[in-house]
Amino acid sequence: MVYDNGTTKNVSGVGLGLRRPLIDYLNAPQIMTPQFLELAPENWIGLGGQSEADLHRLAESYPIILHGLSLSLGSPDPLDRRLLSAIKHFMSAYTIPIYSEHLSFSGANGHLYDLLPLPFTQTMVKQVVGRINAVQELLNVPLAIENIASYAQSPSDMTEIDFFMSVVEKSGCEILLDVNNVYVNSINHQFDARKYISALPSNRIRYMHIAGHYKESESLLIDTHGTAVCHEVWDLLAFSYACHGVKPTVLERDFNLPVWDELSRELISIAEHQEDAINSLMNANGARSE
Amino acid sequence: MVHAVSDVDDVRHLHDIARSMRDPEQFPHVKGWSAEQVGVYRELVFNNIESLLSNCFPLFKASISEKIWSNVIEQFIAYHKSKTPYYFQLATELQDFLNHEASISLPRCAQSLVDLECQLILCAHFQNTKLFRSSNVTTEVLINNEIYLNETAWSLGYDYPIDSLFNTFPINGLPPHQKNEFIETVNSMPLKPCFILVYRNQHHEVRQLKLNTLSYYFFTLLSDYSGSAEAVTPRHIICQLAQTLNLSLEKVMTSGAELLQQWQRECIVSVCNPHQRSCLLHGMD
């Protein structure tokens, strides 16, 4: 099924996850500013006052996309249609082209406000696909689902990548590829990160995430969004671009916010990786045509 | 593939995970997860909710020991079924829990503190439905014309003088050495009514004004009449107040006029009708 709400507006290049302490930087002239912003609708919908004024001002300068936290796609609780209606209205008000969510659940019998892992089973695929279809029908846009970082795996009858791909194929949804999460999970659950990324269909990847993580031990990484991106994840981003082409990429930094110059360097690094990937592709095409 | 299983009841498993996150002592096991993995997730859930609520309730958190605060968060996670997907509404969820479900011994004025902090959050985030247009008119004009209230201004009444805490302590950054003194002050707070006007100004800053009994009733009546079909002037309300409370009309009129001027300066009241394009009142400065 093709979804189009009539307000399709593409984003490209480098994005930044919006946090309130960053607003002053984003409103001031900077050497490097992101080309678009990603925000959590649950932190902005229905807010007046300073938040509303900030959002209006930012929306005049930056395209905005939504990255949800509370939809709880795998939850046994009923799908929150009131939240979805509010998101639909919000997307229309700010001409927002993308809404993404996590392939996880965040509670049963009420919210726990965190991302909990789902069992990788056929039953779960069916459950999640039904809910994603309901979301897409209500919003009339394809949902992009994110591969989450996880620190435990429940009894399953397939691998994580097979589960993820099953959901994507059966629901027709898009992918938000979180490169850091692939890396974190490849350490926590010992699989080949490159193999995971290669298995994804390029044409379904709508955009990407990159972030820092915390090394709890040699075998346990936690996706904190609280540190700089490590070189292994930068390498994996380069690999992702080589595999799937350059996609819009959001830097997520939620905690231990550094000074703007430091964040800026990471935004510039994403842009450089994108440029390198485009140049490599053009050189390869040039070599072929010679 | 991690585990070869054939008949996993997924829904039950998700409930098991959620139960274990809520109450790891009573439900320590999740099928397929090690104790360490359960611990990692439980810590993430606890820390996230604790951090969100700490930001909402600096005053309430400072009024109790770290141990009791942790206990509040643990019980909240264990027993309260939060319905809101919106993070800023988590404060209201905690208030609801403390008022109806919690079994924790808290200072007598805890309910008042929690309510005030919820009101401050609500005021900061309130989405205006009406335009407020400020005015700058003489006292005479203020007294004799219909008054319009800023939607983000409301009066609150409490049983304890919690307003005094704001004057005595740096609430948003209480130094550790003042923690015990703060707890002692809160615990020894006498039963005495306190009235506060909470409002958001034109710069989106949330402010508080202390009200006395008379100004509280004056504001409440202004609020009741504001926007009602019955056009009532402050003069009429002041006369009504003086009569009801058996006070000198002259004194109440003087106090009422001063209050109206202060509230006009703070953009709490205005003579400008938000539904009219211009504010052309006789006496407008």
Side-chain angles (χ1 to χ4, degrees):
Chain A
M1 184 166 180
V2 177
Y3 298 98
D4 180 9
N5 66 355
T7 59
T8 302
K9 189 169 81 170
N10 275 325
V11 291
S12 61
V14 183
L16 179 65
L18 179 61
R19 307 293 299 180
R20 283 187 171 81
L22 300 175
I23 288 173
D24 285 346
Y25 294 117
L26 292 165
N27 283 325
Q30 305 285 348
I31 295 167
M32 172 68 186
T33 48
Q35 285 153 290
F36 65 98
L37 297 175
E38 182 197 64
L39 58 87
E42 294 85 351
N43 284 330
W44 294 88
I45 285 177
L47 298 192
Q50 189 64 56
S51 296
E52 190 177 33
D54 286 337
L55 187 56
H56 280 319
R57 199 174 317 119
L58 288 170
E60 283 170 10
S61 308
Y62 300 93
I64 285 171
I65 63 172
L66 297 187
H67 184 46
L69 298 168
S70 300
L71 194 59
S72 201
L73 279 174
S75 175
D77 293 346
L79 190 65
D80 191 340
R81 289 174 186 274
R82 282 180 67 185
L83 170 64
L84 285 169
S85 296
I87 286 172
K88 185 174 186 174
H89 180 75
F90 194 73
M91 289 178 81
S92 164
Y94 289 96
T95 328
I96 294 171
I98 300 176
Y99 171 45
S100 61
E101 249 295 355
H102 303 86
L103 186 54
S104 65
F105 80 113
S106 53
N109 280 330
H111 286 277
L112 286 166
Y113 305 102
D114 224 314
L115 306 171
L116 301 166
L118 298 169
F120 308 140
T121 64
Q122 290 297 347
T123 322
M124 211 64 236
V125 169
K126 202 174 159 194
Q127 149 93 349
V128 171
V129 166
R131 287 163 74 97
I132 291 175
N133 285 338
V135 173
Q136 297 184 135
E137 271 167 36
L138 211 147
L139 299 182
N140 200 29
V141 288
L143 180 70
I145 57 164
E146 179 190 330
N147 54 301
I148 63 157
S150 67
Y151 321 109
Q153 284 189 345
S154 295
S156 300
D157 52 26
M158 62 180 89
T159 60
E160 181 186 335
I161 186 66
D162 289 342
F163 177 71
F164 193 77
M165 285 307 304
S166 267
V167 170
V168 170
E169 277 162 19
K170 289 180 178 158
S171 66
C173 72
E174 295 182 327
I175 295 169
L176 157 54
L177 169 59
D178 191 310
V179 177
N180 179 58
N181 288 351
V182 176
Y183 179 73
V184 164
N185 285 3
S186 75
I187 300 295
N188 293 350
H189 308 304
Q190 294 167 6
F191 62 75
D192 184 338
R194 291 178 179 232
K195 210 168 155 187
Y196 184 108
I197 289 171
S198 309
L200 298 169
S202 304
N203 61 349
R204 302 297 272 280
I205 300 173
R206 186 70 189 266
Y207 73 110
M208 296 183 187
H209 269 174
I210 189 161
H213 55 256
Y214 174 71
K215 189 174 179 180
E216 178 89 21
S217 70
E218 287 303 319
S219 57
L220 180 61
L221 306 182
I222 308 282
D223 176 38
T224 53
H225 302 174
T227 59
V229 180
C230 70
H231 73 87
E232 291 91 341
V233 174
W234 284 121
D235 289 348
L236 215 48
L237 180 69
F239 177 78
S240 303
Y241 288 159
C243 260
H244 301 296
V246 170
K247 305 283 180 181
T249 303
V250 172
L251 174 68
E252 293 183 290
R253 185 67 185 254
D254 298 339
F255 301 102
N256 303 323
L257 289 174
V259 291
W260 180 257
D261 283 354
E262 205 178 304
L263 264 190
S264 222
R265 276 197 290 277
E266 294 203 306
L267 296 175
I268 290 168
S269 188
I270 296 174
E272 286 170 351
H273 276 77
Q274 293 183 334
E275 210 178 310
D276 288 349
I278 290 167
N279 288 340
S280 299
L281 192 69
M282 285 171 74
N283 289 341
N285 286 342
R288 266 199 292 277
S289 63
E290 278 167 15
Chain B
M1 188 153 36
V2 182
H3 304 275
V5 291
S6 54
D7 57 348
V8 177
D9 182 346
D10 287 337
V11 172
R12 206 181 70 194
H13 183 70
L14 298 182
H15 278 289
D16 286 348
I17 293 174
R19 256 198 295 269
S20 186
M21 293 303 106
R22 288 185 184 281
D23 193 348
E25 278 188 24
Q26 208 184 330
F27 304 100
H29 305 296
V30 173
K31 195 173 178 181
W33 293 21
S34 68
E36 189 199 0
Q37 289 171 328
V38 172
V40 167
Y41 270 107
R42 165 65 186 178
E43 201 179 322
L44 287 171
V45 168
F46 180 90
N47 288 347
N48 190 33
I49 292 177
E50 195 279 329
S51 161
L52 290 164
L53 289 172
S54 278
N55 291 334
C56 299
F57 296 103
L59 195 61
F60 171 52
K61 185 184 173 183
S63 76
I64 53 181
S65 68
E66 289 294 331
K67 195 178 165 193
I68 297 176
W69 172 251
S70 285
N71 195 9
V72 166
I73 304 300
E74 275 167 13
Q75 283 205 22
F76 173 71
I77 295 172
Y79 303 121
H80 187 71
K81 314 284 185 257
S82 288
K83 291 284 173 274
T84 182
Y86 302 111
Y87 282 60
F88 78 99
Q89 288 178 355
L90 203 58
T92 318
E93 294 278 2
L94 184 77
Q95 184 181 30
D96 190 32
F97 161 74
L98 289 171
N99 289 346
H100 303 111
E101 298 158 304
S103 57
I104 304 167
S105 175
L106 294 171
R108 288 179 305 172
C109 65
Q111 265 193 353
S112 304
L113 288 176
V114 167
D115 184 74
L116 176 58
E117 296 198 289
C118 279
Q119 296 295 334
L120 294 174
I121 293 168
L122 285 176
C123 187
H125 295 319
F126 186 88
Q127 207 161 29
N128 288 81
T129 57
K130 291 179 208 154
L131 183 72
F132 179 81
R133 302 169 63 235
S134 60
S135 62
N136 182 16
V137 295
T138 61
T139 305
E140 194 59 24
V141 177
L142 270 175
I143 289 273
N144 293 307
N145 282 281
E146 194 181 356
I147 289 286
Y148 300 92
L149 259 64
N150 186 337
E151 273 184 300
T152 50
W154 51 81
S155 55
L156 304 164
Y158 296 111
D159 295 334
Y160 297 91
I162 53 173
D163 58 316
S164 62
L165 297 172
F166 288 89
N167 304 325
T168 321
F169 295 95
I171 297 309
N172 284 318
L174 192 72
H177 71 271
Q178 276 197 309
K179 171 93 177 171
N180 287 342
E181 189 192 342
F182 187 78
I183 292 176
E184 212 169 288
T185 307
V186 166
N187 279 306
S188 58
M189 204 162 261
L191 196 63
K192 185 183 165 196
C194 139
F195 302 106
I196 300 170
L197 177 60
V198 168
Y199 66 101
R200 191 172 82 209
N201 67 18
Q202 302 284 69
H203 307 293
H204 305 300
E205 296 158 337
V206 174
R207 297 271 172 88
Q208 299 172 58
L209 283 175
K210 184 182 167 69
L211 300 175
N212 61 26
T213 311
L214 188 64
S215 53
Y216 173 75
Y217 284 119
F218 181 37
F219 185 85
T220 305
L221 285 172
L222 276 177
S223 180
D224 289 348
Y225 284 117
S226 174
S228 69
E230 191 185 354
V232 176
T233 65
R235 178 179 293 280
H236 177 95
I237 292 171
I238 288 167
C239 292
Q240 192 185 325
L241 260 178
Q243 196 177 12
T244 311
L245 300 173
N246 202 20
L247 295 168
S248 146
L249 177 60
E250 195 186 342
K251 281 184 180 168
V252 179
M253 193 64 79
T254 307
S255 305
E258 281 171 10
L259 280 170
L260 281 173
Q261 269 301 350
Q262 185 194 1
W263 293 344
Q264 181 182 234
R265 280 195 302 275
E266 297 291 329
C267 296
I268 293 167
V269 300
S270 167
V271 290
C272 296
N273 185 337
H275 303 296
Q276 285 174 3
R277 289 180 63 191
S278 59
C279 193
L280 300 171
L281 265 175
H282 177 68
M284 192 98 179
D285 288 344

